[in-house]
Amino acid sequence: MAREHTRTYFLGKLARELEFRGFDATLRADPPSLRVGDPGARLLTETVDCVPLAEGWYYRWSWGEVVESTTNPAEAADRIARILGPIP
């Protein structure tokens, strides 16, 4: 149960960073994950979760690749925004 609370805490921090950048971020409860989308491109969404690895907790894409450490939610949000955001 403590692990689920930890995931929810870290995902909540990421959600705030993404919302600050103009993205929709919906926290799902079971299992804890974050549904992220660009409001201008409703069909383009991604699910991000977080997992404990040997070096600490990390945000992870739905296909398993690490996004960034949970110690740096701002950098994680920047990386997600570069992938899901509008093409410049």
Coordinates of all heavy atoms in Angstrom, one line a residue:
M1 N 0.8 -1.2 0.0 CA 0.0 0.0 0.0 C 0.9 1.3 0.0 O 0.5 2.2 -0.7 CB -0.9 0.0 1.2 CG -2.0 1.0 1.2 SD -3.0 0.9 -0.2 CE -4.6 1.0 0.5
A2 N 2.0 1.2 0.7 CA 2.8 2.4 0.8 C 3.4 2.7 -0.6 O 3.6 3.9 -1.0 CB 4.0 2.2 1.8
R3 N 3.7 1.7 -1.4 CA 4.2 1.9 -2.7 C 3.2 2.6 -3.6 O 3.6 3.5 -4.4 CB 4.6 0.5 -3.3 CG 5.2 0.6 -4.6 CD 5.7 -0.8 -5.1 NE 7.0 -0.9 -4.6 CZ 7.8 -1.9 -4.9 NH1 7.4 -2.8 -5.8 NH2 9.0 -2.0 -4.4
E4 N 1.9 2.3 -3.5 CA 0.9 3.0 -4.2 C 0.8 4.4 -3.9 O 0.6 5.3 -4.7 CB -0.4 2.3 -4.1 CG -0.4 0.8 -4.5 CD 0.1 0.6 -5.9 OE1 -0.4 1.2 -6.8 OE2 1.0 -0.3 -6.0
H5 N 1.0 4.7 -2.6 CA 0.9 6.1 -2.1 C 2.1 6.9 -2.7 O 2.0 8.1 -3.1 CB 0.9 6.2 -0.6 CG -0.4 5.8 0.0 ND1 -1.6 6.4 -0.2 CD2 -0.7 4.7 0.8 CE1 -2.6 5.8 0.4 NE2 -2.1 4.8 1.0
T6 N 3.3 6.2 -2.7 CA 4.5 6.9 -3.3 C 4.3 7.2 -4.7 O 4.6 8.3 -5.2 CB 5.7 5.9 -3.1 OG1 5.9 5.7 -1.7 CG2 7.0 6.6 -3.6
R7 N 3.8 6.2 -5.5 CA 3.5 6.4 -6.9 C 2.5 7.6 -7.1 O 2.8 8.5 -7.9 CB 2.9 5.2 -7.5 CG 3.8 4.1 -7.9 CD 3.1 3.0 -8.6 NE 4.1 2.1 -9.1 CZ 4.3 0.9 -8.5 NH1 3.6 0.5 -7.5 NH2 5.2 0.1 -9.0
T8 N 1.5 7.6 -6.3 CA 0.5 8.7 -6.5 C 1.1 10.1 -6.1 O 0.8 11.1 -6.8 CB -0.7 8.4 -5.5 OG1 -1.3 7.2 -5.9 CG2 -1.8 9.5 -5.6
Y9 N 1.9 10.1 -5.1 CA 2.6 11.4 -4.8 C 3.5 11.9 -5.9 O 3.4 13.0 -6.3 CB 3.4 11.1 -3.5 CG 4.4 12.3 -3.2 CD1 3.9 13.5 -2.6 CD2 5.7 12.2 -3.4 CE1 4.7 14.5 -2.3 CE2 6.6 13.3 -3.1 CZ 6.1 14.4 -2.6 OH 6.9 15.5 -2.3
F10 N 4.3 11.0 -6.4 CA 5.2 11.4 -7.5 C 4.4 11.8 -8.8 O 4.8 12.8 -9.5 CB 6.2 10.3 -7.8 CG 7.3 10.2 -6.8 CD1 7.7 8.9 -6.4 CD2 8.0 11.3 -6.2 CE1 8.7 8.8 -5.4 CE2 8.9 11.1 -5.3 CZ 9.3 9.9 -4.9
L11 N 3.4 11.0 -9.1 CA 2.6 11.3 -10.3 C 1.9 12.7 -10.1 O 1.7 13.4 -11.1 CB 1.7 10.2 -10.6 CG 2.4 8.9 -11.1 CD1 1.4 7.7 -11.1 CD2 3.0 9.1 -12.5
G12 N 1.4 13.0 -8.9 CA 0.8 14.2 -8.6 C 1.7 15.4 -8.9 O 1.3 16.4 -9.4
K13 N 3.0 15.3 -8.5 CA 4.0 16.3 -8.8 C 4.2 16.5 -10.3 O 4.2 17.6 -10.7 CB 5.3 16.0 -8.1 CG 5.2 16.0 -6.6 CD 6.5 15.6 -5.9 CE 7.6 16.6 -6.2 NZ 8.8 16.3 -5.4
L14 N 4.2 15.4 -11.0 CA 4.4 15.5 -12.5 C 3.1 16.1 -13.1 O 3.3 16.9 -14.0 CB 4.7 14.1 -13.0 CG 4.8 14.0 -14.5 CD1 5.9 14.9 -15.0 CD2 5.0 12.6 -15.0
A15 N 2.0 15.8 -12.6 CA 0.7 16.3 -13.1 C 0.7 17.8 -13.0 O 0.3 18.6 -14.0 CB -0.5 15.7 -12.4
R16 N 1.1 18.4 -11.9 CA 1.2 19.8 -11.7 C 2.1 20.5 -12.7 O 1.8 21.5 -13.3 CB 1.6 20.2 -10.3 CG 0.5 20.0 -9.3 CD 0.8 20.5 -7.9 NE 1.9 19.7 -7.2 CZ 1.7 18.5 -6.6 NH1 0.5 18.0 -6.6 NH2 2.7 17.9 -6.0
E17 N 3.3 19.9 -12.9 CA 4.2 20.4 -13.9 C 3.7 20.4 -15.3 O 3.9 21.4 -16.1 CB 5.6 19.6 -13.8 CG 6.4 19.8 -12.6 CD 7.0 21.2 -12.5 OE1 7.2 21.9 -13.5 OE2 7.4 21.6 -11.4
L18 N 3.0 19.3 -15.7 CA 2.4 19.2 -17.0 C 1.3 20.2 -17.2 O 1.1 20.9 -18.2 CB 1.9 17.8 -17.3 CG 3.1 16.8 -17.5 CD1 2.6 15.4 -17.3 CD2 3.7 17.0 -18.9
E19 N 0.4 20.4 -16.2 CA -0.7 21.3 -16.2 C -0.1 22.8 -16.4 O -0.7 23.6 -17.1 CB -1.6 21.2 -15.0 CG -2.4 19.9 -15.1 CD -3.1 19.5 -13.8 OE1 -2.8 20.2 -12.7 OE2 -3.9 18.6 -13.8
F20 N 0.9 23.1 -15.7 CA 1.6 24.4 -15.8 C 2.0 24.6 -17.2 O 2.0 25.8 -17.7 CB 2.8 24.4 -14.8 CG 3.6 25.7 -14.9 CD1 3.0 26.9 -14.4 CD2 4.8 25.8 -15.5 CE1 3.7 28.1 -14.4 CE2 5.5 26.9 -15.6 CZ 5.0 28.1 -15.0
R21 N 2.4 23.6 -18.0 CA 2.8 23.7 -19.4 C 1.6 23.6 -20.3 O 1.8 23.6 -21.5 CB 3.8 22.6 -19.7 CG 5.1 22.9 -19.0 CD 6.0 21.6 -18.9 NE 7.3 21.8 -18.4 CZ 7.5 22.0 -17.1 NH1 6.5 22.1 -16.2 NH2 8.8 22.2 -16.6
G22 N 0.4 23.5 -19.8 CA -0.8 23.6 -20.7 C -1.3 22.2 -21.1 O -2.2 22.1 -21.9
F23 N -0.9 21.1 -20.5 CA -1.3 19.8 -20.8 C -2.4 19.4 -19.9 O -2.5 19.8 -18.8 CB -0.2 18.8 -20.8 CG 0.8 18.9 -21.9 CD1 1.8 19.8 -21.8 CD2 0.7 18.1 -23.0 CE1 2.7 20.0 -22.9 CE2 1.6 18.2 -24.1 CZ 2.6 19.2 -24.0
D24 N -3.3 18.5 -20.4 CA -4.2 17.8 -19.5 C -3.5 16.6 -18.9 O -2.8 15.9 -19.6 CB -5.4 17.2 -20.4 CG -6.3 18.3 -20.9 OD1 -6.4 19.4 -20.3 OD2 -6.9 18.1 -22.0
A25 N -3.7 16.5 -17.6 CA -3.0 15.3 -16.9 C -4.0 14.8 -15.9 O -4.5 15.5 -15.0 CB -1.8 15.8 -16.2
T26 N -4.5 13.6 -16.1 CA -5.5 12.9 -15.3 C -4.8 11.8 -14.5 O -4.3 10.8 -15.1 CB -6.6 12.4 -16.2 OG1 -7.1 13.4 -17.0 CG2 -7.7 11.8 -15.3
L27 N -4.9 11.8 -13.2 CA -4.3 10.8 -12.4 C -5.3 9.7 -12.2 O -6.5 9.9 -11.9 CB -4.0 11.4 -11.0 CG -3.3 10.5 -10.0 CD1 -1.9 10.0 -10.6 CD2 -3.1 11.2 -8.7
R28 N -4.9 8.5 -12.6 CA -5.7 7.3 -12.5 C -5.2 6.5 -11.2 O -4.1 6.5 -10.9 CB -5.5 6.4 -13.7 CG -6.0 7.0 -15.0 CD -5.8 6.1 -16.1 NE -6.4 6.6 -17.3 CZ -6.4 6.0 -18.4 NH1 -5.7 4.9 -18.6 NH2 -7.0 6.5 -19.5
A29 N -6.2 5.9 -10.5 CA -5.9 5.4 -9.2 C -5.4 3.9 -9.2 O -4.6 3.6 -8.4 CB -7.2 5.4 -8.4
D30 N -5.9 3.1 -10.1 CA -5.6 1.7 -9.9 C -5.2 1.0 -11.2 O -6.1 0.7 -12.0 CB -6.7 0.9 -9.3 CG -6.4 -0.5 -8.8 OD1 -5.2 -0.8 -8.6 OD2 -7.3 -1.3 -8.7
P31 N -4.0 0.8 -11.5 CA -2.8 1.2 -10.7 C -2.5 2.6 -11.0 O -2.9 3.2 -12.0 CB -1.7 0.3 -11.3 CG -2.1 0.1 -12.7 CD -3.6 0.0 -12.7
P32 N -1.8 3.3 -10.0 CA -1.5 4.7 -10.2 C -0.8 5.0 -11.5 O 0.2 4.4 -11.8 CB -0.7 5.0 -9.0 CG -1.0 4.0 -8.0 CD -1.3 2.8 -8.8
S33 N -1.3 5.8 -12.3 CA -0.7 6.3 -13.6 C -1.3 7.6 -13.9 O -2.3 8.1 -13.4 CB -1.0 5.2 -14.7 OG -2.3 5.1 -14.9
L34 N -0.6 8.2 -14.9 CA -1.0 9.6 -15.3 C -1.4 9.5 -16.8 O -0.5 9.1 -17.6 CB 0.1 10.5 -15.1 CG -0.2 12.0 -15.0 CD1 -1.2 12.4 -14.0 CD2 1.1 12.8 -14.8
R35 N -2.5 9.9 -17.2 CA -2.9 10.0 -18.6 C -2.7 11.5 -19.0 O -3.2 12.4 -18.4 CB -4.4 9.7 -18.7 CG -4.8 9.6 -20.2 CD -4.3 8.3 -20.7 NE -4.8 8.0 -22.0 CZ -4.3 7.2 -22.9 NH1 -3.2 6.5 -22.5 NH2 -4.8 7.0 -24.1
V36 N -1.8 11.7 -20.0 CA -1.3 13.0 -20.4 C -1.7 13.2 -21.9 O -1.6 12.4 -22.7 CB 0.2 13.1 -20.3 CG1 0.7 14.5 -20.7 CG2 0.7 12.7 -18.9
G37 N -2.2 14.4 -22.1 CA -2.6 14.8 -23.5 C -2.5 16.3 -23.7 O -2.6 17.1 -22.8
D38 N -2.3 16.6 -24.9 CA -2.3 18.0 -25.4 C -3.7 18.4 -25.7 O -4.4 17.8 -26.6 CB -1.4 18.2 -26.6 CG -1.3 19.6 -27.1 OD1 -2.1 20.5 -26.7 OD2 -0.4 19.9 -28.0
P39 N -4.3 19.4 -25.1 CA -5.7 19.8 -25.3 C -6.0 20.1 -26.8 O -7.1 20.0 -27.3 CB -5.9 21.0 -24.4 CG -4.8 21.1 -23.5 CD -3.7 20.3 -24.1
G40 N -4.9 20.5 -27.5 CA -5.1 20.9 -28.9 C -5.0 19.7 -29.8 O -5.3 19.8 -31.0
A41 N -4.7 18.5 -29.3 CA -4.5 17.3 -30.1 C -5.1 16.1 -29.3 O -4.4 15.3 -28.8 CB -3.1 17.1 -30.5
R42 N -6.4 16.1 -29.2 CA -7.1 15.1 -28.3 C -6.7 13.7 -28.6 O -6.8 12.8 -27.7 CB -8.6 15.3 -28.4 CG -9.0 16.6 -27.7 CD -9.2 16.4 -26.3 NE -9.7 17.6 -25.7 CZ -9.4 18.0 -24.5 NH1 -8.6 17.2 -23.7 NH2 -9.8 19.1 -24.0
L43 N -6.4 13.4 -29.8 CA -6.1 12.0 -30.1 C -4.7 11.5 -29.7 O -4.4 10.3 -29.7 CB -6.3 11.7 -31.7 CG -7.7 11.9 -32.2 CD1 -7.7 11.7 -33.7 CD2 -8.7 11.0 -31.5
L44 N -3.9 12.5 -29.4 CA -2.5 12.2 -29.0 C -2.4 12.2 -27.5 O -2.3 13.3 -26.9 CB -1.5 13.1 -29.6 CG 0.0 12.9 -29.3 CD1 0.4 11.5 -29.8 CD2 0.8 13.9 -30.0
T45 N -2.4 11.0 -26.8 CA -2.3 10.9 -25.4 C -1.3 9.8 -25.1 O -1.0 9.0 -25.9 CB -3.6 10.6 -24.7 OG1 -4.1 9.4 -25.2 CG2 -4.7 11.7 -25.0
E46 N -0.8 9.9 -23.8 CA 0.2 8.9 -23.4 C -0.1 8.6 -21.9 O -0.5 9.5 -21.2 CB 1.6 9.4 -23.6 CG 2.7 8.5 -23.1 CD 2.6 7.1 -23.7 OE1 2.3 6.9 -24.9 OE2 2.9 6.1 -23.0
T47 N 0.2 7.4 -21.5 CA 0.1 7.0 -20.1 C 1.6 7.0 -19.5 O 2.4 6.4 -20.1 CB -0.5 5.7 -19.9 OG1 -1.9 5.8 -20.5 CG2 -0.6 5.3 -18.5
V48 N 1.8 7.6 -18.4 CA 3.0 7.6 -17.7 C 2.8 7.1 -16.3 O 1.8 7.4 -15.7 CB 3.6 9.1 -17.6 CG1 4.9 9.1 -16.8 CG2 3.8 9.7 -19.0
D49 N 3.7 6.2 -15.9 CA 3.7 5.7 -14.5 C 5.0 6.0 -13.9 O 5.8 6.7 -14.4 CB 3.3 4.2 -14.5 CG 4.3 3.3 -15.1 OD1 5.4 3.8 -15.5 OD2 4.1 2.1 -15.1
C50 N 5.2 5.5 -12.7 CA 6.5 5.6 -12.0 C 6.8 4.3 -11.3 O 5.9 3.6 -10.8 CB 6.6 6.8 -11.2 SG 5.7 6.8 -9.6
V51 N 8.1 4.0 -11.3 CA 8.5 2.7 -10.8 C 9.8 2.8 -9.9 O 10.6 3.7 -10.2 CB 8.8 1.6 -11.9 CG1 7.5 1.3 -12.6 CG2 9.8 2.2 -12.9
P52 N 9.9 1.9 -9.0 CA 11.2 2.0 -8.2 C 12.3 1.1 -8.9 O 12.0 0.0 -9.4 CB 10.8 1.3 -6.9 CG 9.7 0.4 -7.2 CD 9.0 1.0 -8.4
L53 N 13.4 1.7 -9.2 CA 14.5 1.0 -9.7 C 15.7 1.0 -8.7 O 15.5 1.6 -7.6 CB 15.0 1.7 -11.0 CG 13.9 1.7 -12.1 CD1 14.4 2.5 -13.3 CD2 13.5 0.3 -12.6
A54 N 16.8 0.4 -9.0 CA 17.9 0.3 -8.0 C 18.4 1.7 -7.6 O 18.7 1.9 -6.4 CB 19.0 -0.5 -8.6
E55 N 18.3 2.7 -8.5 CA 18.8 4.0 -8.2 C 17.8 4.9 -7.6 O 18.1 6.1 -7.3 CB 19.4 4.7 -9.5 CG 20.4 3.9 -10.2 CD 19.8 2.8 -11.1 OE1 18.6 2.9 -11.5 OE2 20.5 1.8 -11.4
G56 N 16.5 4.5 -7.5 CA 15.4 5.3 -6.9 C 14.2 5.2 -7.8 O 14.1 4.3 -8.6
W57 N 13.3 6.1 -7.6 CA 12.0 6.1 -8.3 C 12.1 6.9 -9.6 O 12.8 8.0 -9.7 CB 10.9 6.8 -7.5 CG 10.4 5.9 -6.4 CD1 11.0 5.7 -5.2 CD2 9.3 5.0 -6.5 NE1 10.2 4.8 -4.5 CE2 9.2 4.4 -5.3 CE3 8.3 4.8 -7.4 CZ2 8.2 3.4 -5.0 CZ3 7.3 3.9 -7.2 CH2 7.2 3.2 -5.9
Y58 N 11.5 6.4 -10.7 CA 11.6 7.0 -12.0 C 10.2 7.0 -12.7 O 9.4 6.1 -12.6 CB 12.6 6.2 -12.9 CG 14.0 6.4 -12.6 CD1 14.6 5.7 -11.5 CD2 14.7 7.4 -13.2 CE1 15.9 5.9 -11.1 CE2 16.1 7.6 -12.8 CZ 16.6 6.9 -11.8 OH 17.9 7.1 -11.4
Y59 N 10.0 8.1 -13.5 CA 8.8 8.2 -14.4 C 9.1 7.3 -15.6 O 10.3 7.3 -16.0 CB 8.5 9.6 -14.8 CG 8.2 10.5 -13.7 CD1 9.0 11.6 -13.3 CD2 7.0 10.4 -12.9 CE1 8.7 12.4 -12.2 CE2 6.7 11.2 -11.9 CZ 7.6 12.2 -11.5 OH 7.3 13.1 -10.5
R60 N 8.1 6.7 -16.1 CA 8.3 5.7 -17.2 C 7.1 5.8 -18.2 O 6.0 6.0 -17.9 CB 8.3 4.3 -16.6 CG 8.6 3.2 -17.6 CD 8.7 1.9 -16.9 NE 7.4 1.5 -16.3 CZ 7.1 0.3 -15.8 NH1 8.1 -0.6 -15.8 NH2 6.0 0.0 -15.4
W61 N 7.5 5.8 -19.5 CA 6.5 5.7 -20.6 C 5.7 4.4 -20.5 O 6.2 3.4 -19.9 CB 7.2 5.8 -21.9 CG 7.9 7.1 -22.2 CD1 9.3 7.3 -22.2 CD2 7.3 8.4 -22.5 NE1 9.6 8.6 -22.5 CE2 8.4 9.3 -22.7 CE3 6.0 8.8 -22.7 CZ2 8.2 10.6 -23.1 CZ3 5.8 10.2 -23.0 CH2 6.9 11.0 -23.2
S62 N 4.6 4.3 -21.2 CA 3.8 3.1 -21.2 C 4.6 1.9 -21.8 O 4.3 0.8 -21.5 CB 2.5 3.4 -22.0 OG 2.8 3.7 -23.4
W63 N 5.5 2.1 -22.7 CA 6.3 1.0 -23.3 C 7.5 0.6 -22.4 O 8.3 -0.2 -22.8 CB 6.7 1.4 -24.7 CG 7.6 2.6 -24.9 CD1 8.9 2.6 -24.8 CD2 7.1 3.9 -25.1 NE1 9.4 3.9 -25.0 CE2 8.3 4.7 -25.2 CE3 5.9 4.5 -25.3 CZ2 8.3 6.1 -25.5 CZ3 5.9 5.9 -25.6 CH2 7.0 6.6 -25.6
G64 N 7.7 1.3 -21.3 CA 8.7 0.8 -20.3 C 10.0 1.7 -20.3 O 10.8 1.5 -19.4
E65 N 10.2 2.6 -21.2 CA 11.4 3.4 -21.3 C 11.3 4.5 -20.2 O 10.2 5.1 -20.0 CB 11.5 4.1 -22.6 CG 12.8 4.9 -22.8 CD 12.9 5.5 -24.2 OE1 12.3 4.9 -25.1 OE2 13.5 6.6 -24.3
V66 N 12.4 4.7 -19.5 CA 12.4 5.7 -18.4 C 12.4 7.1 -19.0 O 13.0 7.4 -20.0 CB 13.7 5.5 -17.6 CG1 13.9 6.7 -16.7 CG2 13.6 4.2 -16.8
V67 N 11.6 7.9 -18.4 CA 11.5 9.4 -18.8 C 12.5 10.2 -18.1 O 13.3 10.9 -18.7 CB 10.1 9.9 -18.6 CG1 10.0 11.4 -18.9 CG2 9.0 9.2 -19.3
E68 N 12.4 10.1 -16.7 CA 13.3 10.9 -15.9 C 13.1 10.5 -14.4 O 12.1 9.8 -14.1 CB 12.9 12.4 -16.0 CG 13.7 13.4 -15.2 CD 15.2 13.4 -15.5 OE1 15.5 13.6 -16.7 OE2 16.0 13.2 -14.6
S69 N 14.1 10.8 -13.6 CA 13.9 10.5 -12.2 C 12.8 11.4 -11.6 O 12.5 12.5 -12.0 CB 15.3 10.9 -11.5 OG 15.1 10.9 -10.1
T70 N 12.2 10.8 -10.6 CA 11.1 11.5 -9.9 C 11.6 12.7 -9.0 O 10.8 13.5 -8.6 CB 10.3 10.6 -9.0 OG1 11.1 10.0 -8.0 CG2 9.5 9.5 -9.8
T71 N 12.9 12.7 -8.9 CA 13.5 13.9 -8.2 C 13.5 15.1 -9.0 O 13.8 16.2 -8.5 CB 15.0 13.6 -7.7 OG1 15.8 13.4 -8.9 CG2 15.0 12.4 -6.8
N72 N 13.2 15.0 -10.3 CA 13.2 16.1 -11.2 C 11.9 16.1 -12.1 O 12.0 15.9 -13.3 CB 14.4 16.1 -12.1 CG 14.7 17.4 -12.8 OD1 13.8 18.3 -12.8 ND2 15.8 17.6 -13.4
P73 N 10.7 16.4 -11.5 CA 9.5 16.4 -12.3 C 9.4 17.4 -13.3 O 8.8 17.2 -14.4 CB 8.4 16.5 -11.2 CG 9.1 17.1 -10.0 CD 10.5 16.7 -10.1
A74 N 10.1 18.5 -13.2 CA 10.1 19.6 -14.2 C 10.8 19.1 -15.5 O 10.3 19.3 -16.6 CB 10.8 20.9 -13.6
E75 N 11.9 18.4 -15.3 CA 12.6 17.9 -16.5 C 11.8 16.8 -17.2 O 11.7 16.7 -18.4 CB 14.0 17.4 -16.1 CG 14.8 16.8 -17.3 CD 15.0 17.8 -18.4 OE1 15.2 19.0 -18.2 OE2 15.1 17.3 -19.6
A76 N 11.1 16.0 -16.3 CA 10.2 14.9 -16.9 C 9.1 15.6 -17.7 O 8.8 15.1 -18.8 CB 9.7 14.1 -15.8
A77 N 8.5 16.6 -17.2 CA 7.4 17.3 -17.9 C 8.0 17.9 -19.2 O 7.3 17.9 -20.2 CB 6.8 18.4 -17.0
D78 N 9.2 18.5 -19.2 CA 9.7 19.1 -20.4 C 9.9 18.0 -21.4 O 9.6 18.2 -22.6 CB 11.1 19.7 -20.1 CG 11.0 21.0 -19.4 OD1 9.9 21.6 -19.3 OD2 12.0 21.5 -18.8
R79 N 10.4 16.8 -21.0 CA 10.6 15.7 -22.0 C 9.2 15.2 -22.6 O 9.1 15.0 -23.8 CB 11.3 14.6 -21.4 CG 12.8 14.9 -21.1 CD 13.5 13.7 -20.6 NE 14.9 14.1 -20.3 CZ 15.8 13.3 -20.0 NH1 15.6 12.0 -19.9 NH2 17.1 13.8 -19.8
I80 N 8.3 15.1 -21.7 CA 6.9 14.7 -22.2 C 6.4 15.7 -23.1 O 5.8 15.4 -24.1 CB 6.0 14.4 -20.9 CG1 6.6 13.2 -20.2 CG2 4.6 14.2 -21.4 CD1 6.0 13.0 -18.8
A81 N 6.5 17.0 -22.8 CA 6.0 18.1 -23.6 C 6.6 18.1 -25.0 O 6.0 18.3 -26.0 CB 6.2 19.4 -22.9
R82 N 7.9 17.7 -25.0 CA 8.6 17.7 -26.4 C 8.0 16.6 -27.2 O 7.9 16.7 -28.5 CB 10.1 17.5 -26.2 CG 10.8 18.7 -25.8 CD 12.3 18.6 -25.9 NE 12.9 17.7 -25.0 CZ 13.3 17.9 -23.8 NH1 13.2 19.1 -23.2 NH2 13.9 17.0 -23.0
I83 N 7.6 15.5 -26.6 CA 7.0 14.4 -27.4 C 5.6 14.6 -27.7 O 5.1 14.4 -28.9 CB 7.2 13.0 -26.6 CG1 8.6 12.7 -26.3 CG2 6.5 11.9 -27.3 CD1 9.5 12.5 -27.5
L84 N 4.8 15.1 -26.8 CA 3.3 15.2 -27.0 C 2.9 16.6 -27.4 O 1.7 16.7 -27.9 CB 2.6 14.9 -25.7 CG 2.7 13.4 -25.2 CD1 1.9 13.3 -23.9 CD2 2.3 12.4 -26.2
G85 N 3.8 17.6 -27.4 CA 3.4 18.9 -27.7 C 3.3 19.1 -29.2 O 3.7 18.3 -30.0
P86 N 2.8 20.3 -29.6 CA 2.7 20.7 -31.0 C 4.1 20.7 -31.7 O 5.1 21.1 -31.0 CB 2.0 22.0 -31.0 CG 2.2 22.6 -29.7 CD 2.4 21.4 -28.7
I87 N 4.2 20.4 -32.9 CA 5.4 20.5 -33.7 C 5.6 22.0 -34.0 O 4.8 22.6 -34.5 CB 5.3 19.7 -35.0 CG1 5.1 18.2 -34.6 CG2 6.5 19.9 -35.8 CD1 4.8 17.3 -35.8
P88 N 6.9 22.5 -33.7 CA 7.1 23.9 -33.9 C 7.2 24.2 -35.4 O 7.4 23.5 -36.2 CB 8.5 24.1 -33.2 CG 9.0 22.8 -32.8 CD 8.0 21.8 -33.0

